[in-house]
Amino acid sequence: MNVASLTISQIRDGLRAKSFSASELAAEALRLAAAENPKTNAYLLLSDERALSAAARVDQQLAAGQDPGPLAGVPVAVKDVIVTKGLRTTCASRLLENFIPPYDATAVQRLEQAGAVILGKTNCDEFAMGSSNENSAFGPVRNPVAPDRVPGGSSGGSAAVVAQGTAVASLGSDTGGSIRQPASFCGVVGVTPTYGRVSRYGLVAFASSLDHIGPFARNVHDAALMLNVIAGRDPMDSTSALAPVPDYRAALQQDVRGMKIGIPREYFEGLRNETADQIRKGLDLLRAQGCEIVDVSLPHTSYAIAAYYIICTAEASSNLARFDGVRYTFRAPEAKTMLDMYNLTRGQGFGAECKRRIMLGTYVLSAGYYDAYYLKAQRVRSLIARDFQQAFSQVDALITPVSPFPAFKLSEKLADPMEMYLSDIYTITGSLAGIPCMSVPCGATSEGLPVGMQILTRHFDEPGMFRLASSFERAGGSTL
Ligand code: GLN
């Protein structure tokens, strides 16, 4: 058995044929993860005990002739902003360095109920704020494809473990691109479902109106299967959607003949590099498979970054107020008064990016500035959502690059936050609109750096998105 290349279907077949047991697979995955981790720093924690007992349960069920579930024995990793009962969950922050949650996130619970084996928790940007994984309090993650480069962020660890082959799939979170951008940088599949499709219960909140949980996987089929398991209404999250969850695998076999794909012209203006070349090759491939490709416009695109960094910082300033040394977090020991305790705890606990966002967010919500910034940004958000609605009245799906450039070098963009924020230019619009989007591998640059193609569809049209992605993958899109 070679953990580094197994897919979910191969695991199912292997278990059935008794080529290996779930316990053997878990032990091998844990061994490999421990051996490989010094190269990437992608795992913050390996949960040997929990993984081995989940795997033993699967083996017992198999031996007793019971159905161990659609993800039986599949080794998965979970981003460290998603809580796991009894397993330290740090959000890659000093503040939560020793936080042991008393419950599991719904997505984690559903994965384990489906037979998945949780190997450990993955590194990320602190509280999911960043695009390079360099904002982690526990050190950056290196891209397994090019170790002098970042894996993207904020879910850099979750993308890296799948690319590195130490986990077969993983969970990440996406607020403005944090699943899609690292998936594109590491050459794996990453899915941000419709807002509300997957419960956020147990996802430590960054910007609640934009936060999503979604899967990373080695191929489209595995990503669809992961989403099948984690999607659906959850009474613990009132924003989770009531809409029934279709079996996403049904969409994977359909061809794409006659599908109409829109290319938003604003996304390609001024983009003349190998990323643009790869996406064009991808479009040619889809055309050859019978898709009709048309030009569309999303006229408010240029306001997206400004609106996003007002809305997400406003929500973050409110969400992060709870980390004050009283309940969850470390408490600055030298504090003498209560105010001192708040100030010192937060001052020492939060990293620079979190502080920057808390300050920005507090400012845009303050009396006198609220209308000028926050309210205006919300209006822009509506306009951006309307742009998509109009585009989807003409086409079935949109295709864009995920990021304007491939994985960049470690430290390259650290000194200039604005430069870093620009990496999200193509992913933030879909997040503001709450529509499903994904990154599917679309070949590599001449230096061998992976390029991701972004597919966006209407609210709850994950089937349409998977149909396009899997047809693209079958036609050889990932190695273009
Ligand atoms: N890179 C974006 C940011 O820094 C997106 C982060 C995310 O999606 N969690 O906010």
Side-chain angles (χ1 to χ4, degrees):
M1 135 206 30
N2 179 3
V3 180
S5 66
L6 282 177
T7 62
I8 296 180
S9 329
Q10 287 166 348
I11 291 174
R12 217 182 62 164
D13 296 345
L15 289 176
R16 278 213 192 126
K18 300 201 168 45
S19 313
F20 47 80
S21 68
S23 302
E24 283 163 357
L25 182 58
E28 175 57 14
L30 287 165
R31 187 199 63 74
L32 195 64
E36 293 291 310
N37 208 44
K39 296 183 199 154
T40 57
N41 196 29
Y43 286 98
L44 291 177
L45 179 100
L46 286 172
S47 44
D48 295 56
E49 211 178 301
R50 182 161 170 168
L52 292 171
S53 70
R57 210 158 45 235
V58 168
D59 286 332
Q60 278 158 16
Q61 286 169 325
L62 281 168
Q66 294 158 353
D67 177 9
L71 296 179
V74 176
V76 299
V78 176
K79 183 178 182 181
D80 212 21
V81 292
I82 300 173
V83 303
T84 38
K85 185 175 177 177
L87 282 185
R88 197 179 48 172
T89 300
T90 65
C91 297
S93 179
R94 287 265 165 244
L95 264 182
L96 291 177
E97 199 166 358
N98 298 309
F99 175 55
I100 313 259
Y103 68 100
D104 278 324
T106 299
V108 168
Q109 219 175 45
R110 289 188 178 172
L111 283 181
E112 280 191 324
Q113 264 161 17
V117 169
I118 293 177
L119 295 177
K121 306 298 294 285
T122 57
N123 203 345
C124 54
D125 285 300
E126 186 175 7
F127 288 102
M129 297 176 184
S131 310
S132 68
N133 217 129
E134 292 166 297
N135 296 334
S136 166
F138 308 114
V141 174
R142 288 175 182 275
N143 191 324
V145 181
D148 57 336
R149 294 184 183 255
V150 303
S154 63
S155 314
S158 290
V161 296
V162 174
Q164 181 179 43
T166 56
V168 173
S170 62
L171 289 185
S173 72
D174 192 310
T175 305
S178 278
I179 291 176
R180 290 158 285 160
Q181 188 251 26
S184 78
F185 280 15
C186 294
V188 299
V189 175
V191 175
T192 309
T194 306
Y195 181 79
R197 184 68 298 184
V198 174
S199 166
R200 288 183 294 113
Y201 183 63
L203 169 64
V204 178
F206 160 15
S208 313
S209 78
L210 291 158
D211 291 344
H212 303 68
I213 289 180
F216 289 92
R218 293 197 182 132
N219 60 36
V220 177
H221 172 274
D222 286 5
L225 201 56
M226 287 283 286
L227 189 61
N228 269 352
V229 167
I230 60 174
R233 172 75 185 163
D234 173 16
M236 301 306 280
D237 172 6
S238 60
T239 62
S240 69
L242 284 166
V245 181
D247 184 346
Y248 296 119
R249 284 171 306 176
L252 302 177
Q253 298 314 321
Q254 295 164 9
D255 71 26
V256 288
R257 203 160 298 282
M259 260 183 113
K260 211 165 166 187
I261 296 172
I263 307 303
R265 73 179 73 105
E266 292 79 4
Y267 287 57
F268 290 86
E269 272 162 14
L271 188 72
R272 271 177 278 284
N273 59 13
E274 288 189 84
T275 297
D277 298 343
Q278 284 306 117
I279 304 299
R280 288 206 182 87
K281 281 193 223 165
L283 290 171
D284 289 342
L285 190 64
L286 286 170
R287 205 177 280 117
Q289 291 186 281
C291 291
E292 186 189 346
I293 315 265
V294 301
D295 187 49
V296 295
S297 172
L298 299 171
H300 297 92
T301 300
S302 60
Y303 305 109
I305 291 208
Y308 170 82
Y309 277 98
I310 288 172
I311 295 169
C312 87
T313 55
E315 293 186 22
S317 73
S318 156
N319 275 325
L320 299 188
R322 77 194 65 174
F323 302 114
D324 55 7
V326 176
R327 191 154 173 202
Y328 310 98
T329 57
F330 112 94
R331 179 181 294 181
E334 62 275 39
K336 298 218 166 40
T337 65
M338 191 168 71
L339 196 61
D340 250 15
M341 180 191 74
Y342 292 152
N343 287 338
L344 291 172
T345 298
R346 288 168 68 83
Q348 293 167 15
F350 283 124
E353 185 61 28
C354 290
K355 287 180 186 160
R356 179 158 36 240
R357 296 198 189 197
I358 291 168
M359 286 189 277
L360 252 173
T362 308
Y363 179 77
V364 300
L365 288 176
S366 58
Y369 294 104
Y370 180 91
D371 290 2
Y373 293 109
Y374 185 70
L375 212 60
K376 204 166 193 177
Q378 291 289 17
R379 294 208 175 106
V380 171
R381 183 176 189 175
S382 304
L383 290 173
I384 287 171
R386 200 182 308 157
D387 279 358
F388 280 109
Q389 248 170 27
Q390 268 160 7
F392 288 129
S393 69
Q394 304 160 44
V395 296
D396 302 308
L398 296 168
I399 284 185
T400 77
V402 173
S403 156
F405 34 71
F408 44 90
K409 296 233 164 84
L410 283 148
S411 322
E412 191 180 313
K413 296 190 193 294
L414 260 190
D416 184 354
M418 268 312 286
E419 177 70 12
M420 190 73 93
Y421 295 172
L422 288 177
S423 17
D424 308 320
I425 193 154
Y426 299 141
T427 47
I428 271 172
T429 46
S431 309
L432 287 167
I435 55 177
C437 358
M438 71 187 284
S439 175
V440 59
C442 182
T445 65
S446 48
E447 278 181 280
L449 301 173
V451 172
M453 180 171 91
Q454 181 173 227
I455 304 175
L456 309 97
T457 50
R458 296 180 187 95
H459 286 114
F460 297 104
D461 189 19
E462 281 84 1
M465 177 177 79
F466 283 131
R467 176 179 166 198
L468 201 52
S470 103
S471 176
F472 181 72
E473 187 182 66
R474 265 200 311 277
S478 54
T479 51
L480 269 182

